[in-house]
Amino acid sequence: MSFVLSGKETASAIFENLRPRADAVTAAGHVPTLAVVRMGEKKSDLAYERGIRKHADMAGCSVVTDAFPQDVREDDLVSRIRELNEDETVDGILIFQPLPKQLDSHRVIEAVSAGKDVDGATDASRLFVYTGHGSGFAPCTAQSVIEILDYYGVALQGKHAVIVGRSMVVGKPLANLFLARNATVTVCHSKTENLASITRTADILVSATGHIGTLGGEHVSRDQYVLDVGINFGPDGKMTGDVLYDEVAPHVRALTPVPGGVGSVTTAVLFKHVVESAEARV
Ligand code: NAP
């Protein structure tokens, strides 16, 4: 039977480590600060913002919000982001996505300076993750997978990491984060043939597809660490991952639950990036 890779425990450890670092920056005269830029009043966005504020206290950071109407003009939004780039009191900028339809998302996101792109959303951050040069941050979800493995002391060097999903926010950056740790990486996607024959060879297996049941019993093997990035809602309305948990759990070494897994770590990583940015500023 497997053991649980707890995102909640990983996040607590990150916050515990962050607090004294944030306090040291504050003692030097600057409170690490995240600027949230939100358009409209979507329930899910407001809930996310409340979560961010709650966790900011745990991290010893401050949060300021710029709330724009859903029909905000693109030029107004971009000029506000540019002001935030110049604002010495702000260490990180998080633009809530998806952006309203009338906006050119790429232009808006690219307005964020790389040094303050704590969500890892800009092209500069991508280049940073892919090359290791320049400045920027890894996307929080991809980084969260690495944080969980680090928290549980899972060695990555020389191991075979198989990622199912090749999106720009999860699969591709995660492949680079694994490579930077000297893992051997295979990235699978919807056109991959014989998926199970590949996933069974993994030491570390990650699913980020957004489809319930991407990984079942036939996709896994003993001694594997399985990390489930998926956030899906079943017919009963309950949140569930990509992995068929009950089917997979008896056959692998360790597994993240959903909820309580990867998704629980992303806000902690966001504040880790804010504190790192603040430390570089004081
Ligand atoms: P996405 O952009 O839709 O990408 C999904 C990827 O999975 C694509 O590369 C797709 O292949 C692949 N795929 C889909 N079905 C597949 C299948 N049956 N077999 C193999 N590959 C398959 O999704 P995303 O934005 O990366 O998000 C993925 C999941 O992670 C979603 O459930 C999302 O809600 C969740 N997520 C969670 C967090 C968090 O904080 N935990 C953050 C972000 C996203 P193709 O490229 O061939 O289409």
Side-chain angles (χ1 to χ4, degrees), residues 10-19 21-22 25 32-34 52 55-56 58-62 91-92 115-120 136-140 142-151 177 181 265-281:
T10 305
S12 295
I14 294 171
F15 282 122
E16 238 172 70
N17 175 271
L18 272 189
R19 187 67 206 229
R21 289 170 58 185
V25 175
T33 298
L34 172 70
I52 286 173
H55 287 109
M58 290 166 70
C61 295
S62 160
D91 302 294
K116 295 192 180 184
D117 177 25
V118 288
D119 198 26
F137 295 92
C140 296
Q143 181 66 39
S144 297
V145 170
I146 302 290
E147 296 284 343
I148 291 173
L149 292 166
D150 282 351
Y151 176 72
L177 296 177
R181 296 294 195 87
V265 183
T266 52
T267 310
V269 171
L270 180 69
F271 282 109
K272 186 176 178 182
H273 291 169
V274 172
V275 172
E276 282 171 6
S277 171
E279 285 172 335
R281 223 166 284 282

Short mmCIF file of all heavy atoms in Angstrom, two decimals, residues 10-19 21-22 25 32-34 52 55-56 58-62 91-92 115-120 136-140 142-151 177 181 265-281:
data_model
loop_
_atom_site.label_atom_id
_atom_site.label_comp_id
_atom_site.label_asym_id
_atom_site.label_seq_id
_atom_site.Cartn_x
_atom_site.Cartn_y
_atom_site.Cartn_z
N THR A 10 3.55 19.73 2.81
CA THR A 10 4.61 20.39 2.05
C THR A 10 4.45 21.91 2.14
O THR A 10 5.42 22.64 2.39
CB THR A 10 4.56 19.96 0.57
OG1 THR A 10 4.60 18.53 0.51
CG2 THR A 10 5.70 20.54 -0.23
N ALA A 11 3.21 22.38 1.97
CA ALA A 11 2.95 23.82 2.02
C ALA A 11 3.28 24.38 3.40
O ALA A 11 3.91 25.44 3.51
CB ALA A 11 1.50 24.10 1.65
N SER A 12 2.89 23.66 4.46
CA SER A 12 3.19 24.14 5.82
C SER A 12 4.69 24.32 6.00
O SER A 12 5.13 25.30 6.60
CB SER A 12 2.71 23.15 6.88
OG SER A 12 1.35 23.05 6.85
N ALA A 13 5.45 23.34 5.50
CA ALA A 13 6.91 23.42 5.66
C ALA A 13 7.46 24.62 4.88
O ALA A 13 8.37 25.31 5.36
CB ALA A 13 7.55 22.12 5.16
N ILE A 14 6.89 24.88 3.70
CA ILE A 14 7.36 26.04 2.92
C ILE A 14 7.06 27.33 3.68
O ILE A 14 7.91 28.22 3.82
CB ILE A 14 6.70 26.07 1.52
CG1 ILE A 14 7.17 24.87 0.69
CG2 ILE A 14 7.00 27.38 0.78
CD1 ILE A 14 6.43 24.68 -0.63
N PHE A 15 5.84 27.44 4.23
CA PHE A 15 5.48 28.66 4.97
C PHE A 15 6.36 28.83 6.21
O PHE A 15 6.77 29.93 6.54
CB PHE A 15 4.00 28.64 5.36
CG PHE A 15 3.08 28.98 4.22
CD1 PHE A 15 2.10 28.10 3.81
CD2 PHE A 15 3.20 30.19 3.55
CE1 PHE A 15 1.25 28.41 2.75
CE2 PHE A 15 2.37 30.51 2.49
CZ PHE A 15 1.39 29.62 2.08
N GLU A 16 6.63 27.73 6.91
CA GLU A 16 7.47 27.80 8.10
C GLU A 16 8.85 28.34 7.77
O GLU A 16 9.43 29.12 8.52
CB GLU A 16 7.64 26.39 8.68
CG GLU A 16 7.16 26.26 10.10
CD GLU A 16 7.18 24.81 10.51
OE1 GLU A 16 8.27 24.25 10.67
OE2 GLU A 16 6.07 24.23 10.64
N ASN A 17 9.35 27.91 6.62
CA ASN A 17 10.66 28.36 6.18
C ASN A 17 10.63 29.81 5.69
O ASN A 17 11.60 30.56 5.85
CB ASN A 17 11.12 27.41 5.06
CG ASN A 17 12.42 27.84 4.43
OD1 ASN A 17 12.41 28.61 3.48
ND2 ASN A 17 13.52 27.37 4.98
N LEU A 18 9.50 30.20 5.10
CA LEU A 18 9.39 31.54 4.52
C LEU A 18 9.28 32.63 5.56
O LEU A 18 9.80 33.73 5.39
CB LEU A 18 8.13 31.63 3.65
CG LEU A 18 8.22 31.23 2.19
CD1 LEU A 18 6.92 31.60 1.50
CD2 LEU A 18 9.39 31.92 1.52
N ARG A 19 8.53 32.34 6.63
CA ARG A 19 8.17 33.37 7.60
C ARG A 19 9.41 34.14 8.13
O ARG A 19 9.43 35.36 8.05
CB ARG A 19 7.38 32.73 8.75
CG ARG A 19 6.81 33.69 9.76
CD ARG A 19 5.73 34.51 9.11
NE ARG A 19 5.60 35.78 9.78
CZ ARG A 19 4.44 36.30 10.18
NH1 ARG A 19 3.32 35.67 9.95
NH2 ARG A 19 4.40 37.46 10.77
N ARG A 21 12.29 34.44 6.79
CA ARG A 21 12.92 35.17 5.69
C ARG A 21 12.13 36.45 5.40
O ARG A 21 12.71 37.52 5.19
CB ARG A 21 12.98 34.28 4.43
CG ARG A 21 13.99 33.15 4.56
CD ARG A 21 13.86 32.15 3.43
NE ARG A 21 14.03 32.73 2.12
CZ ARG A 21 13.87 32.07 0.97
NH1 ARG A 21 13.56 30.78 0.99
NH2 ARG A 21 14.03 32.67 -0.18
N ALA A 22 10.81 36.34 5.39
CA ALA A 22 9.97 37.53 5.15
C ALA A 22 10.15 38.53 6.29
O ALA A 22 10.23 39.74 6.07
CB ALA A 22 8.51 37.12 5.02
N VAL A 25 13.28 40.53 5.87
CA VAL A 25 13.14 41.58 4.85
C VAL A 25 12.34 42.75 5.44
O VAL A 25 12.69 43.92 5.28
CB VAL A 25 12.44 41.03 3.58
CG1 VAL A 25 12.18 42.14 2.57
CG2 VAL A 25 13.28 39.93 2.94
N PRO A 32 7.54 42.30 2.16
CA PRO A 32 7.35 41.61 0.88
C PRO A 32 5.90 41.70 0.43
O PRO A 32 4.99 41.34 1.20
CB PRO A 32 7.75 40.16 1.18
CG PRO A 32 8.61 40.23 2.40
CD PRO A 32 8.11 41.41 3.19
N THR A 33 5.68 42.18 -0.77
CA THR A 33 4.31 42.51 -1.19
C THR A 33 3.97 41.95 -2.57
O THR A 33 4.73 42.09 -3.52
CB THR A 33 4.12 44.05 -1.20
OG1 THR A 33 4.31 44.53 0.14
CG2 THR A 33 2.73 44.45 -1.68
N LEU A 34 2.79 41.32 -2.61
CA LEU A 34 2.24 40.80 -3.86
C LEU A 34 1.12 41.72 -4.33
O LEU A 34 0.22 42.05 -3.55
CB LEU A 34 1.68 39.39 -3.64
CG LEU A 34 0.90 38.77 -4.81
CD1 LEU A 34 1.85 38.43 -5.96
CD2 LEU A 34 0.14 37.52 -4.35
N ILE A 52 -5.38 33.64 -1.09
CA ILE A 52 -4.07 34.30 -1.18
C ILE A 52 -3.85 35.20 0.04
O ILE A 52 -2.77 35.19 0.65
CB ILE A 52 -3.98 35.11 -2.49
CG1 ILE A 52 -3.80 34.16 -3.67
CG2 ILE A 52 -2.86 36.14 -2.45
CD1 ILE A 52 -3.86 34.81 -5.03
N HIS A 55 -3.09 33.13 3.17
CA HIS A 55 -1.74 32.57 3.15
C HIS A 55 -0.67 33.66 3.25
O HIS A 55 0.44 33.39 3.73
CB HIS A 55 -1.54 31.72 1.89
CG HIS A 55 -2.28 30.43 1.94
ND1 HIS A 55 -3.38 30.16 1.19
CD2 HIS A 55 -2.08 29.34 2.72
CE1 HIS A 55 -3.83 28.94 1.47
NE2 HIS A 55 -3.06 28.43 2.40
N ALA A 56 -0.99 34.87 2.82
CA ALA A 56 -0.02 35.97 2.93
C ALA A 56 0.36 36.18 4.39
O ALA A 56 1.53 36.40 4.72
CB ALA A 56 -0.62 37.25 2.34
N MET A 58 0.39 33.93 6.72
CA MET A 58 1.28 32.84 7.12
C MET A 58 2.70 33.06 6.61
O MET A 58 3.68 32.67 7.24
CB MET A 58 0.76 31.49 6.58
CG MET A 58 -0.51 31.03 7.27
SD MET A 58 -1.29 29.70 6.33
CE MET A 58 -0.14 28.37 6.60
N ALA A 59 2.80 33.69 5.44
CA ALA A 59 4.11 33.90 4.84
C ALA A 59 4.78 35.17 5.34
O ALA A 59 5.96 35.40 5.05
CB ALA A 59 3.97 33.95 3.32
N GLY A 60 4.03 36.01 6.08
CA GLY A 60 4.59 37.29 6.54
C GLY A 60 4.66 38.30 5.40
O GLY A 60 5.51 39.20 5.40
N CYS A 61 3.77 38.16 4.43
CA CYS A 61 3.76 39.05 3.27
C CYS A 61 2.49 39.89 3.26
O CYS A 61 1.54 39.61 3.99
CB CYS A 61 3.82 38.24 1.97
SG CYS A 61 5.34 37.31 1.76
N SER A 62 2.50 40.90 2.41
CA SER A 62 1.33 41.75 2.27
C SER A 62 0.76 41.60 0.86
O SER A 62 1.49 41.23 -0.07
CB SER A 62 1.79 43.18 2.56
OG SER A 62 0.90 44.10 2.05
N ASP A 91 6.73 43.56 -4.93
CA ASP A 91 7.76 42.58 -5.30
C ASP A 91 7.28 41.59 -6.35
O ASP A 91 8.09 41.00 -7.06
CB ASP A 91 8.18 41.80 -4.04
CG ASP A 91 8.71 42.73 -2.99
OD1 ASP A 91 9.76 43.33 -3.22
OD2 ASP A 91 8.04 42.89 -1.95
N GLY A 92 5.97 41.38 -6.40
CA GLY A 92 5.44 40.40 -7.36
C GLY A 92 4.09 40.85 -7.88
O GLY A 92 3.35 41.53 -7.16
N GLY A 115 11.28 40.31 -13.38
CA GLY A 115 11.67 40.26 -11.98
C GLY A 115 10.47 40.17 -11.04
O GLY A 115 10.61 39.75 -9.89
N LYS A 116 9.29 40.61 -11.52
CA LYS A 116 8.09 40.58 -10.66
C LYS A 116 7.07 39.54 -11.13
O LYS A 116 5.98 39.44 -10.58
CB LYS A 116 7.45 41.98 -10.64
CG LYS A 116 8.35 43.03 -9.98
CD LYS A 116 7.63 44.33 -9.70
CE LYS A 116 8.60 45.31 -9.03
NZ LYS A 116 7.93 46.58 -8.65
N ASP A 117 7.45 38.72 -12.10
CA ASP A 117 6.52 37.72 -12.66
C ASP A 117 6.52 36.47 -11.78
O ASP A 117 6.96 35.39 -12.19
CB ASP A 117 6.96 37.39 -14.10
CG ASP A 117 6.08 36.32 -14.71
OD1 ASP A 117 4.91 36.19 -14.28
OD2 ASP A 117 6.57 35.60 -15.61
N VAL A 118 6.00 36.62 -10.55
CA VAL A 118 6.06 35.53 -9.57
C VAL A 118 5.19 34.33 -9.95
O VAL A 118 5.32 33.25 -9.37
CB VAL A 118 5.69 36.04 -8.16
CG1 VAL A 118 6.80 36.91 -7.60
CG2 VAL A 118 4.37 36.81 -8.18
N ASP A 119 4.32 34.51 -10.94
CA ASP A 119 3.47 33.41 -11.42
C ASP A 119 4.13 32.66 -12.58
O ASP A 119 3.59 31.67 -13.08
CB ASP A 119 2.12 34.00 -11.87
CG ASP A 119 1.02 32.96 -11.98
OD1 ASP A 119 1.12 31.93 -11.28
OD2 ASP A 119 0.08 33.18 -12.76
N GLY A 120 5.28 33.13 -13.02
CA GLY A 120 5.99 32.46 -14.11
C GLY A 120 5.22 32.43 -15.41
O GLY A 120 5.25 31.44 -16.14
N GLY A 136 13.37 35.52 -13.85
CA GLY A 136 12.00 35.05 -13.97
C GLY A 136 11.76 33.96 -12.95
O GLY A 136 12.62 33.68 -12.11
N PHE A 137 10.59 33.37 -13.01
CA PHE A 137 10.21 32.33 -12.05
C PHE A 137 9.53 31.19 -12.80
O PHE A 137 8.90 31.40 -13.84
CB PHE A 137 9.24 32.90 -11.02
CG PHE A 137 9.86 33.96 -10.14
CD1 PHE A 137 9.78 35.30 -10.50
CD2 PHE A 137 10.52 33.62 -8.99
CE1 PHE A 137 10.36 36.29 -9.70
CE2 PHE A 137 11.11 34.59 -8.18
CZ PHE A 137 11.01 35.93 -8.55
N ALA A 138 9.63 29.99 -12.24
CA ALA A 138 8.90 28.85 -12.81
C ALA A 138 7.42 29.00 -12.49
O ALA A 138 7.06 29.54 -11.45
CB ALA A 138 9.43 27.55 -12.21
N PRO A 139 6.53 28.51 -13.37
CA PRO A 139 5.11 28.52 -13.03
C PRO A 139 4.88 27.76 -11.72
O PRO A 139 5.49 26.71 -11.48
CB PRO A 139 4.46 27.78 -14.21
CG PRO A 139 5.43 27.91 -15.33
CD PRO A 139 6.80 27.94 -14.69
N CYS A 140 4.01 28.32 -10.87
CA CYS A 140 3.88 27.81 -9.49
C CYS A 140 3.46 26.33 -9.44
O CYS A 140 3.93 25.59 -8.58
CB CYS A 140 2.87 28.65 -8.73
SG CYS A 140 3.43 30.36 -8.54
N ALA A 142 4.01 23.84 -11.68
CA ALA A 142 5.14 22.97 -12.04
C ALA A 142 6.14 22.92 -10.88
O ALA A 142 6.61 21.83 -10.48
CB ALA A 142 5.80 23.48 -13.31
N GLN A 143 6.43 24.07 -10.30
CA GLN A 143 7.37 24.12 -9.17
C GLN A 143 6.84 23.35 -7.97
O GLN A 143 7.61 22.72 -7.23
CB GLN A 143 7.63 25.59 -8.80
CG GLN A 143 8.61 25.81 -7.66
CD GLN A 143 10.02 25.38 -8.00
OE1 GLN A 143 10.47 25.58 -9.13
NE2 GLN A 143 10.71 24.77 -7.06
N SER A 144 5.52 23.35 -7.80
CA SER A 144 4.91 22.65 -6.65
C SER A 144 5.20 21.16 -6.68
O SER A 144 5.38 20.52 -5.64
CB SER A 144 3.39 22.87 -6.64
OG SER A 144 3.10 24.23 -6.46
N VAL A 145 5.22 20.58 -7.88
CA VAL A 145 5.53 19.15 -8.02
C VAL A 145 6.94 18.88 -7.47
O VAL A 145 7.17 17.94 -6.70
CB VAL A 145 5.42 18.71 -9.50
CG1 VAL A 145 5.97 17.30 -9.69
CG2 VAL A 145 3.96 18.79 -9.96
N ILE A 146 7.87 19.75 -7.85
CA ILE A 146 9.26 19.59 -7.37
C ILE A 146 9.32 19.78 -5.85
O ILE A 146 10.04 19.05 -5.15
CB ILE A 146 10.19 20.63 -8.08
CG1 ILE A 146 10.13 20.47 -9.60
CG2 ILE A 146 11.62 20.53 -7.55
CD1 ILE A 146 10.76 19.22 -10.16
N GLU A 147 8.56 20.75 -5.34
CA GLU A 147 8.59 21.02 -3.89
C GLU A 147 8.12 19.80 -3.10
O GLU A 147 8.67 19.48 -2.05
CB GLU A 147 7.69 22.22 -3.55
CG GLU A 147 8.13 23.54 -4.16
CD GLU A 147 9.32 24.19 -3.47
OE1 GLU A 147 9.63 23.81 -2.32
OE2 GLU A 147 9.95 25.07 -4.10
N ILE A 148 7.07 19.13 -3.60
CA ILE A 148 6.56 17.94 -2.89
C ILE A 148 7.64 16.85 -2.87
O ILE A 148 7.92 16.24 -1.84
CB ILE A 148 5.25 17.43 -3.54
CG1 ILE A 148 4.13 18.43 -3.30
CG2 ILE A 148 4.87 16.05 -2.99
CD1 ILE A 148 2.83 18.11 -4.05
N LEU A 149 8.25 16.63 -4.02
CA LEU A 149 9.28 15.59 -4.11
C LEU A 149 10.46 15.94 -3.19
O LEU A 149 11.01 15.07 -2.50
CB LEU A 149 9.73 15.41 -5.55
CG LEU A 149 8.65 14.80 -6.47
CD1 LEU A 149 9.02 14.96 -7.94
CD2 LEU A 149 8.42 13.32 -6.14
N ASP A 150 10.83 17.21 -3.14
CA ASP A 150 11.93 17.64 -2.26
C ASP A 150 11.55 17.44 -0.79
O ASP A 150 12.36 16.97 0.01
CB ASP A 150 12.26 19.13 -2.50
CG ASP A 150 13.09 19.33 -3.76
OD1 ASP A 150 13.56 18.33 -4.34
OD2 ASP A 150 13.27 20.50 -4.16
N TYR A 151 10.31 17.81 -0.47
CA TYR A 151 9.87 17.69 0.94
C TYR A 151 9.97 16.24 1.41
O TYR A 151 10.36 15.97 2.55
CB TYR A 151 8.44 18.21 1.09
CG TYR A 151 7.88 18.04 2.48
CD1 TYR A 151 8.33 18.85 3.52
CD2 TYR A 151 6.94 17.05 2.76
CE1 TYR A 151 7.85 18.68 4.80
CE2 TYR A 151 6.44 16.88 4.03
CZ TYR A 151 6.91 17.70 5.06
OH TYR A 151 6.42 17.52 6.33
N LEU A 177 12.25 21.59 -15.40
CA LEU A 177 12.65 21.56 -13.98
C LEU A 177 13.24 20.19 -13.63
O LEU A 177 14.22 20.09 -12.90
CB LEU A 177 11.46 21.89 -13.07
CG LEU A 177 10.87 23.30 -13.22
CD1 LEU A 177 9.64 23.47 -12.32
CD2 LEU A 177 11.90 24.38 -12.90
N ARG A 181 17.35 18.97 -12.70
CA ARG A 181 17.73 18.10 -11.57
C ARG A 181 18.35 16.79 -12.06
O ARG A 181 18.44 15.82 -11.30
CB ARG A 181 16.51 17.79 -10.71
CG ARG A 181 15.88 18.99 -10.04
CD ARG A 181 16.82 19.59 -9.01
NE ARG A 181 16.11 20.50 -8.15
CZ ARG A 181 15.47 20.13 -7.04
NH1 ARG A 181 15.49 18.88 -6.63
NH2 ARG A 181 14.84 21.02 -6.32
N VAL A 265 -0.13 23.36 -2.75
CA VAL A 265 1.23 23.89 -2.61
C VAL A 265 1.43 25.17 -3.43
O VAL A 265 2.33 25.97 -3.15
CB VAL A 265 2.27 22.81 -3.05
CG1 VAL A 265 3.69 23.28 -2.85
CG2 VAL A 265 2.05 21.52 -2.28
N THR A 266 0.55 25.41 -4.41
CA THR A 266 0.83 26.48 -5.38
C THR A 266 0.90 27.87 -4.73
O THR A 266 1.74 28.68 -5.11
CB THR A 266 -0.22 26.49 -6.51
OG1 THR A 266 -1.52 26.50 -5.93
CG2 THR A 266 -0.08 25.27 -7.38
N THR A 267 0.02 28.14 -3.77
CA THR A 267 0.05 29.47 -3.14
C THR A 267 1.32 29.64 -2.29
O THR A 267 1.88 30.74 -2.22
CB THR A 267 -1.22 29.71 -2.29
OG1 THR A 267 -2.34 29.37 -3.09
CG2 THR A 267 -1.34 31.14 -1.87
N ALA A 268 1.76 28.56 -1.66
CA ALA A 268 3.01 28.63 -0.90
C ALA A 268 4.18 28.96 -1.83
O ALA A 268 5.06 29.77 -1.50
CB ALA A 268 3.27 27.30 -0.18
N VAL A 269 4.17 28.34 -3.02
CA VAL A 269 5.24 28.62 -4.00
C VAL A 269 5.14 30.06 -4.49
O VAL A 269 6.16 30.75 -4.64
CB VAL A 269 5.17 27.62 -5.19
CG1 VAL A 269 6.10 28.03 -6.30
CG2 VAL A 269 5.49 26.21 -4.72
N LEU A 270 3.91 30.53 -4.69
CA LEU A 270 3.72 31.93 -5.10
C LEU A 270 4.40 32.87 -4.10
O LEU A 270 5.15 33.77 -4.49
CB LEU A 270 2.21 32.22 -5.18
CG LEU A 270 1.79 33.62 -5.59
CD1 LEU A 270 2.12 33.87 -7.06
CD2 LEU A 270 0.29 33.81 -5.36
N PHE A 271 4.17 32.64 -2.80
CA PHE A 271 4.78 33.51 -1.79
C PHE A 271 6.29 33.28 -1.64
O PHE A 271 7.02 34.19 -1.30
CB PHE A 271 4.04 33.42 -0.46
CG PHE A 271 2.76 34.21 -0.50
CD1 PHE A 271 1.53 33.58 -0.52
CD2 PHE A 271 2.80 35.60 -0.58
CE1 PHE A 271 0.36 34.32 -0.61
CE2 PHE A 271 1.64 36.34 -0.68
CZ PHE A 271 0.41 35.71 -0.69
N LYS A 272 6.72 32.07 -1.94
CA LYS A 272 8.17 31.82 -1.95
C LYS A 272 8.81 32.74 -3.00
O LYS A 272 9.84 33.36 -2.76
CB LYS A 272 8.43 30.35 -2.28
CG LYS A 272 9.87 29.93 -2.18
CD LYS A 272 9.99 28.44 -2.42
CE LYS A 272 11.45 28.01 -2.38
NZ LYS A 272 11.63 26.60 -2.65
N HIS A 273 8.16 32.83 -4.16
CA HIS A 273 8.67 33.69 -5.22
C HIS A 273 8.62 35.17 -4.81
O HIS A 273 9.55 35.93 -5.10
CB HIS A 273 7.86 33.48 -6.51
CG HIS A 273 8.08 32.14 -7.14
ND1 HIS A 273 7.30 31.65 -8.16
CD2 HIS A 273 9.00 31.17 -6.88
CE1 HIS A 273 7.74 30.45 -8.51
NE2 HIS A 273 8.76 30.13 -7.74
N VAL A 274 7.55 35.56 -4.11
CA VAL A 274 7.45 36.96 -3.66
C VAL A 274 8.60 37.28 -2.70
O VAL A 274 9.24 38.34 -2.82
CB VAL A 274 6.08 37.21 -2.96
CG1 VAL A 274 6.03 38.59 -2.32
CG2 VAL A 274 4.94 37.06 -3.97
N VAL A 275 8.85 36.37 -1.77
CA VAL A 275 9.92 36.61 -0.79
C VAL A 275 11.28 36.63 -1.49
O VAL A 275 12.13 37.48 -1.20
CB VAL A 275 9.86 35.57 0.36
CG1 VAL A 275 11.07 35.69 1.26
CG2 VAL A 275 8.57 35.73 1.15
N GLU A 276 11.49 35.72 -2.42
CA GLU A 276 12.77 35.72 -3.17
C GLU A 276 12.95 37.04 -3.90
O GLU A 276 14.04 37.62 -3.91
CB GLU A 276 12.80 34.56 -4.19
CG GLU A 276 13.10 33.22 -3.56
CD GLU A 276 12.90 32.05 -4.54
OE1 GLU A 276 12.64 32.27 -5.73
OE2 GLU A 276 12.99 30.89 -4.06
N SER A 277 11.88 37.52 -4.52
CA SER A 277 11.95 38.79 -5.23
C SER A 277 12.26 39.93 -4.26
O SER A 277 13.08 40.80 -4.55
CB SER A 277 10.61 39.03 -5.95
OG SER A 277 10.55 40.32 -6.48
N ALA A 278 11.61 39.91 -3.09
CA ALA A 278 11.84 40.96 -2.08
C ALA A 278 13.27 40.90 -1.56
O ALA A 278 13.92 41.94 -1.38
CB ALA A 278 10.85 40.80 -0.94
N GLU A 279 13.78 39.69 -1.35
CA GLU A 279 15.16 39.55 -0.85
C GLU A 279 16.16 40.15 -1.84
O GLU A 279 17.16 40.73 -1.45
CB GLU A 279 15.48 38.06 -0.61
CG GLU A 279 14.82 37.50 0.64
CD GLU A 279 14.97 35.99 0.78
OE1 GLU A 279 15.16 35.29 -0.24
OE2 GLU A 279 14.87 35.50 1.91
N ALA A 280 15.85 40.00 -3.12
CA ALA A 280 16.75 40.52 -4.14
C ALA A 280 16.68 42.05 -4.21
O ALA A 280 17.56 42.69 -4.77
CB ALA A 280 16.38 39.94 -5.51
N ARG A 281 15.63 42.61 -3.63
CA ARG A 281 15.36 44.05 -3.73
C ARG A 281 15.94 44.84 -2.58
O ARG A 281 16.21 46.02 -2.71
CB ARG A 281 13.84 44.25 -3.74
CG ARG A 281 13.28 45.24 -4.73
CD ARG A 281 11.78 45.02 -4.82
NE ARG A 281 11.51 43.85 -5.60
CZ ARG A 281 11.56 43.82 -6.93
NH1 ARG A 281 11.83 44.92 -7.59
NH2 ARG A 281 11.34 42.72 -7.60
#
